[in-house]
Amino acid sequence: MKLRREERDGRTSLLTKNLVPGNKTYNEDLLIRDGVEFRTWDPFRSKLAAAILKGLPDDLIREGDKVLYLGTSTGTTPSHVSDIVGESGLVVGVEFAPRVAREFVENVARKRKNVIPYVADARDPSSYSLTKCDVVYCDIAQQDQTEIAILNCRRLLKKGGRLLLIVKARSIDVIREPKDVFREESRKLEAAGFHVSQMIELSPFDKDHALIYATY
Amino acid sequence: MEQLTIYTTEAGSILLRAGEAIGAAKAASQLLDKAKQMGVTAVVVSNESELSSARAVGLEATLIRPEDRERLDADKIGLIVRSRLAPDEASALEIIRQQSIEAAEAVIREASARPDLHLVQAIQALDDSDKFLNTTATRVSEWYGLHFPELTQMMADNIGLCRVVVEVGRRDGFSKENLQGRGFTDKKVEAILAARERSKGGEISDGDLGRVKALATLALEVASQRDRLNTYVESMMKKIAPNVTDVAGATIGARLMAKAGGLDRLAVMPASTIQILGAEKALFRALRTGAKPPKHGILFQHQEVHGAPKWQRGKIARTLANKIAIAARIDYFRGTEELSVKAGLDLRLEQIKAKYKEPPKHKAEREERPGRQEGRPPFRRPPRREGFDRRQKQRRR
């Protein structure tokens, strides 16, 4: 297993097996477990880690999976996804903003053979269409983020594939009650033919955020 | 007549017949020749440059349809392997990865060279310097005040105080000669010298005075750095956004640009957004609670706004924002200076000042207008418009 849980005094911490031993992506700790190097995965810095701690199944991203990752930012979470899918897997990372993409390319894509970076607009999937994926992970703070995620799934997600959508309530509507926003986005996915399995609010790790897990 | 497709990938170009690869080469041009030898008369190609090179060798050429392209893209890796441009999937991916990294870095490099982004950094450095200057000069005033409080009381300008501290130092070092030429009136010089005689300040050791002087020197250094930055911002703004500079002034224009994240973003912003840039907190409070929305954000710093009587400010800020929006668009898309924008602004400001010379009458004195509810309705977010998408525009020069 590339993902490891550890219980210590009632606290769960997550670790992923380092794909590039000795290399740090941000200032995470490197720990040796059974002679293998793992990296600590901080839920306050990574919404996916937060969701897993709050009940998202561990095995939605699996070894060997192809993952389309929209909105990599500086690449903290993508680096852990790259750990999990391992050498036989693939992470196609898309980021629109050059400033943060710089760090993503430098610290993640250049160092990890299973990561392919694109500085591109997630509204235009033709510029990074490589292959159908098992998982689409979408974390873009846009008003129409759900529509963008659906567009990408139609084009690049295998039938039966999994969508992990981070909903940032404040990006969609500043005044509406976050819970209503989450429900609304869920409905949009259902209407587009997805089956929504889980909706996880990410507090206390992130305010007004939720992760929606749906299958296509 | 058979029609072949040329599909170009990171690893090379692939010749397809009915979706199956029948040939491959590093460059599309080689495949075009090959197709011609095979007696092909028409090809489908995947980009504009292939279109013209195909026509150049006398082939009929059309661009690939998006849906066909999508189908090929989904099988890109398989196609690369089957046409032997790479021995296996892993190597195909590695070729694509290297290409993508290079392409990504090229985009980043190009974006990092934009002059307006440098300007954004400069204005932020200017604001940082101001902050630092204020705190440090205040600290010097407090510290030196232990030794000579009367002087710090009498000098409103902290930077001037820093200069005096560095150049004169101790209380008993003050004299008519070294106070003259600093913009003090004779009366003030007298007062300072008198205060020195019966100062409530304590003695100060050489060590402490040395520290205060060092701090004052630092503040002066930052002050001159700040002035240089200011000059730089002004000259850069004239180059990059002459119209915005004309309408809003260099510093305010640069601040708006910084807030928007570049000239391109400012150019596609609605004027109503520009009007309240920098007042986000008040805006969201208004949206949440239905309180009065802000009339101005950064624009408040414009002298036409903060210098105007209160009841005119909203109107002036709105006009100013309208004109800045126009100016930013001219700067970004046309890049020439148009005096008419400033002229239009001046004209409208004249009208506002004339028409609304008097403060609005109190509600009670207004004539009753039938059919209108008392008070204004709470502020609500306007409906979202399908508008100009910043990301789909082509820059025209």
Side-chain angles (χ1 to χ4, degrees):
Chain A
M1 264 313 266
K2 306 274 182 184
L3 175 66
R4 197 184 162 110
R5 283 168 177 268
E6 293 194 346
E7 305 291 335
R8 237 181 319 166
D9 19 312
R11 278 267 169 93
T12 310
S13 55
L14 295 173
L15 307 170
T16 59
K17 180 179 175 233
N18 196 352
L19 184 84
V20 192
N23 177 257
K24 286 188 177 192
T25 301
Y26 48 116
N27 60 358
E28 74 276 28
D29 289 331
L30 302 180
L31 306 170
I32 305 289
R33 294 288 178 268
D34 311 325
V36 179
E37 185 180 286
F38 282 82
R39 300 191 300 133
T40 52
W41 193 5
D42 180 357
F44 287 98
R45 302 191 52 165
S46 168
K47 299 185 192 83
L48 181 56
I52 289 173
L53 287 182
K54 291 206 70 187
L56 188 75
D58 290 9
D59 62 347
L60 293 188
I61 300 179
R62 302 163 193 153
E63 196 168 340
D65 272 353
K66 293 188 168 111
V67 180
L68 173 62
Y69 193 120
L70 304 172
T72 61
S73 185
T74 55
T76 304
T77 307
S79 73
H80 288 284
V81 175
S82 149
D83 278 351
I84 293 168
V85 299
E87 281 169 31
S88 56
L90 179 70
V91 180
V92 177
V94 181
E95 171 57 50
F96 183 72
R99 173 69 192 78
V100 286
R102 190 172 80 201
E103 286 167 60
F104 168 61
V105 173
E106 201 53 40
N107 304 335
V108 182
R110 271 205 173 276
K111 300 252 166 54
R112 295 169 169 267
K113 283 224 180 282
N114 63 3
V115 177
I116 299 184
Y118 289 91
V119 183
D121 190 339
R123 288 185 173 82
D124 175 25
S126 65
S127 54
Y128 49 83
S129 293
L130 280 186
T131 172
K132 291 258 182 185
C133 294
D134 305 283
V135 179
V136 170
Y137 181 98
C138 178
D139 182 6
I140 52 179
Q142 293 292 316
Q143 255 189 324
D144 53 343
Q145 55 184 16
T146 306
E147 289 78 0
I148 294 173
I150 293 168
L151 170 83
N152 277 276
C153 291
R154 290 236 161 97
R155 183 156 179 162
L156 292 164
L157 186 60
K158 291 174 184 166
K159 276 276 169 258
R162 303 174 289 282
L163 166 66
L164 300 175
L165 175 68
I166 302 282
V167 183
K168 182 174 181 170
R170 296 281 171 236
S171 288
I172 293 172
D173 194 327
V174 184
I175 35 183
R176 261 174 58 212
E177 195 50 46
K179 277 200 173 54
D180 297 344
V181 176
F182 301 149
R183 249 197 310 272
E184 170 81 15
E185 302 308 298
S186 254
R187 265 203 298 274
K188 280 183 197 166
L189 289 176
E190 294 274 359
F194 287 79
H195 169 70
V196 175
S197 314
Q198 253 185 316
M199 188 170 78
I200 300 168
E201 293 197 28
L202 300 183
S203 59
F205 304 110
D206 278 288
K207 221 179 120 213
D208 303 333
H209 282 73
L211 180 144
I212 297 179
Y213 159 44
T215 44
Y216 185 45
Chain B
M1 174 193 111
E2 76 171 334
Q3 193 177 48
L4 299 187
T5 300
I6 290 178
Y7 174 59
T8 300
T9 71
E10 288 86 344
S13 298
I14 300 166
L15 192 61
L16 299 151
R17 175 186 286 143
E20 252 333 290
I22 54 166
K26 276 275 167 248
S29 53
Q30 297 167 314
L31 288 180
L32 286 167
D33 292 335
K34 188 170 172 178
K36 194 137 172 87
Q37 286 156 21
M38 289 165 61
V40 174
T41 53
V43 288
V44 175
V45 294
S46 45
N47 62 47
E48 295 284 341
S49 75
E50 287 164 9
L51 206 57
S52 47
S53 38
R55 284 175 185 161
V57 296
L59 288 165
E60 238 179 90
T62 45
L63 266 183
I64 193 165
R65 292 183 320 189
E67 57 268 37
D68 293 337
R69 166 113 209 199
E70 213 171 301
R71 225 190 33 249
L72 290 173
D73 277 344
D75 188 29
K76 188 189 257 187
I77 298 161
L79 280 170
I80 290 175
V81 176
R82 288 203 296 283
S83 52
R84 302 211 179 81
L85 284 168
D88 53 39
E89 265 200 30
S91 341
L93 278 171
E94 189 48 31
I95 293 169
I96 292 173
R97 176 170 166 263
Q98 290 301 341
Q99 288 266 344
S100 295
I101 289 177
E102 263 169 53
E105 285 177 345
V107 173
I108 293 165
R109 214 171 290 125
E110 194 185 343
S112 307
R114 281 172 40 184
D116 59 339
L117 295 187
H118 284 269
L119 193 53
V120 165
Q121 293 296 332
I123 189 80
Q124 282 168 339
L126 186 73
D127 289 346
D128 290 346
S129 310
D130 270 336
K131 248 199 206 107
F132 177 85
L133 212 51
N134 274 332
T135 45
T136 309
T138 309
R139 177 61 50 219
V140 169
S141 164
E142 284 288 318
W143 197 344
Y144 186 74
L146 290 174
H147 172 63
F148 195 179
E150 295 78 3
L151 181 68
T152 61
Q153 291 289 311
M154 275 186 258
M155 290 192 68
D157 165 29
N158 276 338
I159 304 288
L161 177 74
C162 287
R163 199 160 284 126
V164 177
V165 169
V166 172
E167 288 169 11
V168 181
R170 279 184 190 285
R171 197 165 60 204
D172 35 27
F174 283 91
S175 64
K176 255 203 173 83
E177 291 72 48
N178 60 27
L179 281 174
Q180 262 148 8
R182 292 185 187 280
F184 292 126
T185 54
D186 287 351
K187 229 167 115 184
K188 195 126 201 193
V189 171
E190 290 301 323
I192 291 173
L193 292 174
R196 190 191 64 178
E197 297 308 320
R198 41 173 184 74
S199 174
K200 291 188 239 4
E203 286 306 310
I204 189 167
S205 73
D206 287 343
D208 286 333
L209 187 65
R211 291 298 95 216
V212 181
K213 276 189 170 180
L215 205 57
T217 310
L218 180 61
L220 293 175
E221 184 54 46
V222 173
S224 79
Q225 162 72 18
R226 187 207 163 284
D227 295 340
R228 283 199 297 275
L229 261 173
N230 207 9
T231 317
Y232 172 80
V233 166
E234 277 180 20
S235 70
M236 286 303 284
M237 274 300 283
K238 281 205 183 77
K239 254 204 228 78
I240 293 166
N243 295 292
V244 172
T245 310
D246 212 20
V247 173
T251 23
I252 292 176
R255 282 202 183 103
L256 290 169
M257 226 153 80
K259 200 80 192 169
L263 181 59
D264 57 338
R265 295 208 188 180
L266 189 66
V268 298
M269 257 182 193
S272 55
T273 305
I274 294 174
Q275 187 182 341
I276 51 165
L277 273 181
E280 287 77 11
K281 216 171 135 184
L283 173 70
F284 291 138
R285 184 177 54 227
L287 287 168
R288 265 201 313 278
T289 63
K292 281 189 189 166
K295 294 189 289 292
H296 33 54
I298 290 167
L299 285 189
F300 183 75
Q301 298 164 12
H302 196 281
Q303 70 184 57
E304 288 290 357
V305 179
H306 71 77
K310 215 172 157 115
W311 65 90
Q312 292 176 4
R313 281 180 194 160
K315 302 181 202 322
I316 290 174
R318 176 158 34 87
T319 303
L320 195 56
N322 291 337
K323 296 301 181 188
I324 290 169
I326 295 168
R329 287 162 207 184
I330 295 173
D331 283 335
Y332 184 66
F333 293 105
R334 205 180 301 164
T336 52
E337 191 159 358
E338 315 268 335
L339 294 167
S340 60
V341 188
K342 179 77 164 81
L345 172 71
D346 292 341
L347 179 71
R348 176 74 187 126
L349 290 180
E350 291 296 308
Q351 288 172 350
I352 290 174
K353 284 175 191 165
K355 189 171 173 190
Y356 301 100
K357 214 172 175 66
E358 298 304 318
K361 291 198 185 100
H362 204 271
K363 278 206 183 85
E365 297 172 41
R366 268 191 234 157
E367 294 162 46
E368 276 298 317
R369 270 190 291 174
R372 196 158 162 260
Q373 298 269 306
E374 198 42 56
R376 66 165 68 196
F379 183 63
R380 283 276 156 255
R381 164 185 255 156
R384 190 162 178 246
R385 285 185 320 192
E386 286 306 317
F388 185 54
D389 188 348
R390 162 171 83 75
R391 300 177 170 197
Q392 290 174 4
K393 64 174 194 331
Q394 286 298 309
R395 189 163 178 186
R396 291 166 303 180
R397 261 291 151 91

